[in-house]
Amino acid sequence: MACPDCFRGGVTSIEPTGSFTTIHGRRTYVAEPADGAAPRGLIVFITDAFGVDFVNNRVLCDVYAKKGNFLVYCPDFMNGYAMDPKVIKLMDTIMAKGSWYDTLINKPKAMIQAMPLVIPWYRNTKIPDTHPGIVSFLQAVRTSPLPFPTPDLKIGVAGFCWGGKHAMLLARSPPASHVARPGSSAAQPLIDCAWMAHPSFLEVPADGEAAQVPTAIVVGADDMVLKKPDAEKLKQVLEAKGDGFEVTILTQGGAAHGFAVRTHPDNKEEMDRAAEAEEMALKWFGRWLGA
């Protein structure tokens, strides 16, 4: 499920360096390796509730592209219904401790302002309704001409919060979703690996039991969505599968739900945890997508 922390966090002041285009019918932010370097693989970035236009998501795409030498696609999988970032300040007001005046006046006012933004998101971005579009996009990528010269295109997905559930479903790699890659007559999985931070909407242990491709998850011990007992259960289930399956539970401060993408720039603990998640992701994709 989603929680108040799904709609809270900080906003970066860094400017994105990628560009928008249309790929397989979807408006897509594209981040490329620096200085024309050859990509090591393709990462499909599935965002949190705030979608592709949220600056934090695009900046993180840039990080994966520049630091990891990956081509990164971040499509609008919410079909224009991403959460408005205005909700962040409103949710901070709603959740903050305050005076009786805040409780009686400011908090109800913020809730009234947030509802017209939150309700359409809930109605139009349900996982069962949006997931088929994600599968179709990946199938189109797999069956189309290669986006860069490579003998074998490796594709990973990075999912955050809302996007984490989609990444987990893709990790199941159901045979019905498989397609033949260019130059092959045999149907093969859509993705080569999945990585996710603080995923929402997970079914524990079922989602972990169903994972088939290499899968990694990072979550904070105090996450309000994937709570520690469930995270530990998921860790046990996934890691029992052996090499290629792992769950990291961060116990240090600064790892609340959303920490890997919605960090407050002036909070050192949060920035440190976000940097750890970034390093984990780059290491994971480096292992499964390219040497």
Side-chain angles (χ1 to χ4, degrees):
M1 61 175 289
C3 74
D5 275 355
C6 291
F7 311 128
R8 302 177 72 191
V11 180
T12 183
S13 59
I14 299 173
E15 288 293 325
T17 59
S19 60
F20 279 97
T21 188
T22 299
I23 299 178
H24 303 304
R26 288 191 180 271
R27 181 169 171 268
T28 302
Y29 182 76
V30 178
E32 301 180 80
D35 303 321
R40 301 162 67 196
L42 172 65
I43 296 174
V44 176
F45 190 110
I46 310 178
T47 71
D48 63 357
F50 294 96
V52 65
D53 287 309
F54 185 46
V55 63
N56 293 29
N57 287 324
R58 287 180 283 144
V59 167
L60 191 53
C61 288
D62 295 341
V63 168
Y64 289 175
K66 301 297 190 294
K67 289 189 177 182
N69 278 351
F70 297 110
L71 176 63
V72 182
Y73 289 170
C74 184
D76 176 14
F77 287 132
M78 296 185 190
N79 305 307
Y81 288 102
M83 184 70 70
D84 191 319
K86 292 177 183 175
V87 166
I88 293 175
K89 288 187 177 181
L90 293 173
M91 197 60 67
D92 282 344
T93 299
I94 293 168
M95 298 301 296
K97 295 180 180 179
S99 65
W100 65 266
Y101 184 85
D102 291 322
T103 301
L104 295 177
I105 305 297
N106 290 334
K107 289 177 182 286
K109 180 180 178 181
M111 291 182 67
I112 291 170
Q113 292 174 323
M115 285 302 99
L117 303 175
V118 172
I119 292 173
W121 182 82
Y122 271 109
R123 285 178 176 171
N124 294 287
T125 64
K126 295 176 182 176
I127 301 296
D129 296 338
T130 50
H131 193 69
I134 296 176
V135 171
S136 295
F137 180 87
L138 282 161
Q139 288 174 329
V141 171
R142 275 297 192 200
T143 56
S144 297
L146 299 174
F148 54 86
T150 176
D152 181 23
L153 178 64
K154 298 291 186 181
I155 300 177
V157 292
F160 301 83
C161 302
W162 179 88
K165 175 64 174 184
H166 287 293
M168 201 77 222
L169 291 175
L170 290 168
R172 293 185 175 199
S173 192
S177 71
H178 296 184
V179 294
R181 305 181 186 185
S184 173
S185 59
Q188 300 177 52
L190 296 183
I191 65 171
D192 295 283
C193 69
W195 185 88
M196 59 208 80
H198 39 77
S200 300
F201 303 106
L202 293 195
E203 297 176 37
V204 179
D207 281 330
E209 293 170 342
Q212 298 297 316
V213 303
T215 301
I217 299 171
V218 60
V219 63
D222 297 324
D223 194 292
M224 290 181 65
V225 179
L226 182 57
K227 297 183 183 298
K228 188 178 180 182
D230 280 339
E232 291 174 338
K233 187 181 299 182
L234 192 60
K235 179 178 177 71
Q236 181 180 9
V237 168
L238 272 176
E239 295 186 355
K241 294 175 177 287
D243 185 42
F245 298 88
E246 62 184 53
V247 175
T248 301
I249 303 172
L250 300 179
T251 58
Q252 308 96 318
H257 187 74
F259 77 92
V261 69
R262 296 192 303 277
T263 308
H264 291 90
D266 58 351
N267 187 310
K268 185 180 184 303
E269 278 195 331
E270 290 184 8
M271 293 295 288
D272 287 346
R273 300 295 84 75
E276 288 179 35
E278 176 189 303
E279 183 177 348
M280 291 177 198
L282 291 172
K283 182 178 179 181
W284 185 257
F285 289 124
R287 177 182 179 187
W288 297 104
L289 302 186

